[in-house]
Amino acid sequence: MSQDTPQVSFNRVMLKISGEALMGDLGYGLHPPTVERIAREVQSVHSLGVEICMVIGGGNIFRGLQGSAQGMERTTADYMGMLATVMNALAMQSALEGLGIHTRVISAITMNEVAEPYIRRRAVRHLEKKRVCIFAAGTGNPYFTTDTAATLRANEMSCEAIFKGTKVDGVYDKDPAKFDDAKRYDLVSYDDVLQKRLGVMDASAIALARDNNLPIIVFSLDEPGGFQGILAGQGTYTRVG
């Protein structure tokens, strides 16, 4: 490894991003240049030899909870949301493979024509072969968010951390877009996130991470090179742990 190559602190990580992150400036759906930009962020980390898992939400296409609030039966709405995550996963797979990175979409709902079924040992083998694994369709169960799915898969894959890409550079005590005096945490405990309702992830995901001592790194996905920089010990972020 040359002196110019960043030293990374994790060997296998989970990158969790929202479906909205793929919209760019659009109000709905996928913005291909934004998908490609995020794919390049993943490529920059993959090039360091880091094994990468991904979970992408589906809120840019359909959000089950909102569908339920509008009168749709909750279980049906959640399954529709899971299918939206598969669409996003396929878009990200296409962008990554366009950059020469071997990628597998692994779905919790069986759909063999477009994605592999989730088999833990097979997924681990893909990671060992330096393939990016995108876990789609959540946990395969209604009433569970993609945050919980990301934490579950991160534990199953023995990831060393979850990287939560957001629009802000960490966790704040209040919304920095609304309050100029919002304070960013460098380090915050799982219990404080739950008690203060800081909105990092839902309570189930935070509790699962806490029970397995899995750190969550919250950073800005909009900052070019941010993902690689944090792995090299640089940049601005909040560590939940």
Side-chain angles (χ1 to χ4, degrees), residues 211-230:
D211 293 348
N212 292 277
N213 198 30
L214 180 66
I216 302 168
I217 310 296
V218 183
F219 72 106
S220 173
L221 199 64
D222 293 336
E223 183 69 29
F227 189 22
Q228 184 194 74
I230 292 168

Side-chain angles (χ1 to χ4, degrees), residues 64-115:
L65 202 56
Q66 291 178 354
S68 177
Q70 295 173 13
M72 186 176 292
E73 195 269 324
R74 173 64 187 270
T75 301
T76 299
D78 278 355
Y79 277 120
M80 292 174 67
M82 290 179 216
L83 295 177
T85 71
V86 177
M87 295 172 69
N88 286 338
L90 292 172
M92 184 57 65
Q93 179 186 44
S94 178
L96 287 169
E97 291 187 338
L99 297 174
I101 299 172
H102 295 294
T103 307
R104 296 291 185 273
V105 173
I106 302 171
S107 173
I109 298 174
T110 304
M111 47 182 75
N112 292 330
E113 288 76 14
V114 297

Side-chain angles (χ1 to χ4, degrees), residues 1-9 44 47-48 228-229 231-234:
M1 186 177 287
S2 72
Q3 289 184 329
D4 295 331
T5 303
Q7 299 292 318
V8 297
S9 52
S44 70
S47 67
L48 301 177
Q228 184 194 74
L231 279 160
Q234 304 163 355

